[in-house]
Amino acid sequence: MSHHLLLIIHLICASIWVGGHLFIAIRILPKALKQKNPDIILHFEKEYEPIGIAALLLLVITGIWMTLQFGIAVNRWFTFSSPIERVTSTKLLLLLGTVIFAVSAQTRVLPQLKKSSGKIPEMAAHIIAVTAIGVAMLVLGSFARYGGI
Ligand code: HEM
């Protein structure tokens, strides 16, 4: 597939992933905290999750594909030896962070959130962390066209 088409898919998915998380962090979360109502978060999560996860999966697929097109083979990942490789290896580490927060939210926080509003602050911390990581990945990606980091 052409690099340009992969980049367009990558950018659409980045809009969905980062846009959705900024929306929940800025609009949904303050409302849920103010009203002490976890259902506001749970409702948004249910609606957003299928499209959000699909976008993240496509980000990973297109991102790795573009990395390989840049000539960075798997055996060079995490060597932090060239500017574009540093961008992609850092992104993969941030992706791991995202996965850890997502698993923690799904297994530890969300089941409890359904029962009590006391878990809203912990859910808020998870949402803010994943949002910040998403923004960091977007900013890192933008460095590629300037030669990397
Ligand atoms: C939350 C996840 C991610 C977000 C929000 C994201 C966002 C972005 C953005 C905004 C760009 C800038 C494109 C441009 O300058 O026009 C980009 C580029 C890039 N991303 Fe990602 N990305 C994510 C995950 C990944 C992953 C997991 C990889 C694989 C290691 C990856 C690899 C790349 C590469 C290689 C580029 C450079 C493409 C080019 O300029 O030709 N990204 N990304």
Side-chain angles (χ1 to χ4, degrees), residues 3 7 10-11 14 17-18 56 59-60 63-64 66-67 70 88 91-92 95 134 137-138 141-142 144-145:
H3 192 94
L7 183 57
H10 199 75
L11 286 174
W17 182 255
V18 179
L56 184 62
L59 276 167
V60 176
I64 289 176
M66 290 191 293
T67 303
F70 274 122
T88 52
K91 279 183 144 197
L92 287 168
L95 176 69
M137 284 169 94
L138 180 149
S142 73
R145 69 171 70 197

Side-chain angles (χ1 to χ4, degrees), residues 18 87 91 132-144 146 149:
V18 179
V87 168
K91 279 183 144 197
I133 293 174
V135 171
M137 284 169 94
L138 180 149
V139 172
L140 264 172
S142 73
F143 275 95
Y146 295 101
I149 54 171

Side-chain angles (χ1 to χ4, degrees), residues 17-65:
W17 182 255
V18 179
H21 280 85
L22 283 172
F23 183 74
I24 188 170
I26 293 166
R27 293 288 294 172
I28 306 287
L29 209 50
K31 207 191 278 180
L33 282 163
K34 201 170 162 201
Q35 297 179 15
K36 294 190 173 46
N37 181 0
D39 288 338
I40 297 172
I41 300 173
L42 291 167
H43 176 73
F44 182 86
E45 281 283 332
K46 198 168 159 248
E47 296 291 319
Y48 173 73
E49 201 179 74
I51 186 171
I53 296 296
L56 184 62
L57 274 176
L58 279 172
L59 276 167
V60 176
I61 294 167
T62 52
I64 289 176
W65 202 329

